Amino acid sequence: MMADKDGMQLAKNYGLDIPHHQNGYFVKGMEHVDWGMKDRLSRIFRPNTGKTVMLAFDHGYIMGATAGLERLDLAIEPLAPYADALMATRGALRSCIQPIHNKPVILRASAGSTVLQDDMSHEVVGVDIDDAIRINASCLAIQVFVGASGECQSLNNLVKTIDTGARYGIPTLGVTAVGKEMERTTRYFMLASRVLAELGAHIVKTYYCDDFEHVVAACPVPIVVAGGKKIPEYDALDLVYRAMQAGAAGVDMGRNVFQAQSPLAMLKSINAVVHDGLTVVQAYDLYQTEISESA
């Protein structure tokens, strides 16, 4: 069909008196990545707060049927709407999670030894990029064992994944593993987080520690804090609060959500701390209120 020349209107609103507005991108250190990667990061981190609450349920790749995750479909389906992102293995997603939640997927892309081995640091890249794209991953997660015998191999896994993902605009989350022989100090987490960022990780997941604001300040990309082992609900909310006050860009919580007395109430309360700025006392009150209202 030929264009209707007579119906065309003269373009005239060029806004010559208004300078072009250059928007600074809201995710730390990501001003110069490509549009598609920014789009994926904007799904993981809420643009209105710049923060994220990730729900981690990838534990089975090394731990098997973790307490609280015996039935992934029953445990995760009610929680998925209240998480900003889902961190999982491809097997768990395809077999147990409905593809209707429209949540960004942080895809566990490393694979290795189970908890039956003393040294779990010798991992490999366990997901091909083609399959990551098929599953519509918004991010690839690689575990890195800084200071362990498998350090170099795990760093190689990280940089290979960063390079591969970058070809398709998919960011990489570097996870700082803490093995039995590793120290858990501010100095260690500052070193490990900085190394992952220097090698190109777009997000770093690490553990909260003393002087955590120094760890955050020394890392040029967003840090999300791991929940770690199950602790009392009040203490877990306190951990989230202190991490956010120290400058974390969010949390990636697993066992402290799905092993809580009320996983849904816990996830809602974590969201309130991360996105709404609730204090620990306020968040714990919300947690108890959610439990009583659902009883």
Side-chain angles (χ1 to χ4, degrees):
M1 181 178 177
M2 295 291 292
D4 183 1
K5 294 182 180 179
D6 294 334
M8 291 178 65
Q9 296 184 9
L10 181 64
K12 57 184 179 181
N13 187 19
Y14 292 99
L16 299 180
D17 57 334
I18 304 173
H20 183 75
H21 182 61
Q22 291 285 6
N23 289 312
Y25 189 60
F26 72 97
V27 179
K28 183 180 180 181
M30 297 295 113
E31 292 86 353
H32 303 300
V33 301
D34 190 67
W35 193 96
M37 189 172 287
K38 286 181 178 176
D39 177 69
R40 290 180 176 89
L41 290 167
S42 297
R43 299 189 68 224
I44 297 168
F45 298 96
R46 290 192 197 179
N48 64 324
T49 65
K51 312 298 182 185
T52 187
V53 174
M54 301 177 181
L55 177 62
F57 53 101
D58 57 331
H59 305 68
Y61 99 103
I62 57 171
M63 298 172 66
T66 311
L69 293 180
E70 296 89 352
R71 282 282 301 273
L72 283 166
D73 55 337
L74 299 180
I76 301 303
E77 285 291 329
L79 302 178
Y82 299 92
D84 294 316
L86 305 176
M87 183 169 178
T89 64
R90 57 180 172 178
L93 288 167
R94 285 193 169 110
S95 62
C96 301
I97 310 302
Q98 296 186 72
I100 62 173
H101 300 294
N102 197 29
K103 297 292 181 177
V105 169
I106 315 294
L107 184 63
R108 168 63 70 174
S110 54
S113 302
T114 70
V115 291
L116 300 179
Q117 299 292 324
D118 288 331
D119 185 358
M120 299 168 58
S121 67
H122 296 279
E123 289 199 332
V124 297
V125 176
V127 177
D128 186 83
I129 190 63
D130 290 348
D131 205 34
I133 293 170
R134 275 191 293 269
I135 214 164
N136 198 29
S138 291
C139 189
L140 303 170
I142 296 290
Q143 192 111 311
V144 180
F145 298 81
V146 175
S149 61
E151 175 184 81
C152 186
Q153 181 179 342
S154 66
L155 289 171
N156 187 43
N157 295 338
L158 178 71
V159 296
K160 283 186 174 180
T161 302
I162 290 167
D163 288 340
T164 303
R167 291 202 294 271
Y168 302 94
I170 301 176
T172 297
L173 167 69
V175 182
T176 60
V178 180
K180 298 174 183 177
E181 73 283 2
M182 299 181 202
E183 60 180 27
R184 304 185 182 211
T185 63
T186 304
R187 181 180 179 183
Y188 172 78
F189 289 124
M190 188 180 298
L191 183 153
S193 299
R194 180 61 174 263
V195 167
L196 270 57
E198 293 267 356
L199 292 178
H202 304 90
I203 311 168
V204 171
K205 175 180 173 180
T206 193
Y207 291 88
Y208 182 81
C209 62
D210 293 336
D211 299 318
F212 193 67
E213 64 274 12
H214 296 167
V215 178
V216 173
C219 184
V221 302
I223 285 184
V224 294
V225 172
K229 295 179 180 179
K230 175 68 174 70
I231 55 178
E233 282 82 342
Y234 185 93
D235 294 341
L237 291 170
D238 184 52
L239 184 153
V240 174
Y241 177 78
R242 285 185 283 118
M244 299 310 298
Q245 291 297 302
V251 295
D252 188 18
M253 306 292 276
R255 285 168 286 183
N256 280 295
V257 173
F258 58 73
Q259 290 180 355
Q261 177 187 349
S262 173
L264 183 55
M266 191 62 179
L267 187 54
K268 288 181 177 180
S269 302
I270 291 169
N271 267 298
V273 175
V274 172
H275 293 298
D276 301 326
L278 263 64
T279 65
V280 183
V281 172
Q282 291 171 328
Y284 191 65
D285 285 345
L286 174 62
Y287 175 69
Q288 294 177 310
T289 299
E290 289 283 341
I291 290 177
S292 62
E293 290 181 350
S294 62

